[in-house]
């Protein structure tokens, strides 16, 4: 049996950390997409205010398997 997967790009942010931004993005993608199998962190960036990191942003390439 073979399967077909699709990749979609999402962005997520957190006021805590990159790890939290990734977790938030995966949880949200999993609530909308079926069969999420993995993700690639394509980009990371932060917003800085007066020398302090305020928000962490990630761009994720999320892979999910299409239903038969």
């Amino acid at each position: 049996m073979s399967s077909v997967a699709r990749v979609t790009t999402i962005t997520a942010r957190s006021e805590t950390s990159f790890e939290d931004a990734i977790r938030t993005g995966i949880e949200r993608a999993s609530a909308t997409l079926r069969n999420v199998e993995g993700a690639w962190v394509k980009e990371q960036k932060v917003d800085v205010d007066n020398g302090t990191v305020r928000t962490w942003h990630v761009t994720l390439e999320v892979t999910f398997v299409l239903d038969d």
Side-chain angles (χ1 to χ4, degrees):
M1 178 155 111
S2 61
S3 60
V4 176
R6 182 170 180 157
V7 176
T8 191
T9 303
I10 66 168
T11 59
R13 74 180 183 98
S14 169
E15 294 179 355
T16 307
S17 66
F18 283 126
E19 184 177 315
D20 187 55
I22 293 166
R23 184 180 306 105
T24 298
I26 295 298
E27 287 173 359
R28 179 62 179 90
S30 295
T32 304
L33 303 170
R34 289 188 302 276
N35 306 318
V36 171
E37 297 224 339
W40 171 54
V41 179
K42 183 176 180 181
E43 183 176 298
Q44 296 178 318
K45 101 173 195 166
V46 294
D47 291 328
V48 177
D49 183 26
N50 291 326
T52 301
V53 176
R54 297 295 178 196
T55 54
W56 290 257
H57 301 262
V58 293
T59 301
L60 303 170
E61 298 284 333
V62 178
T63 303
F64 60 100
V65 176
L66 300 177
D67 292 337
D68 290 334

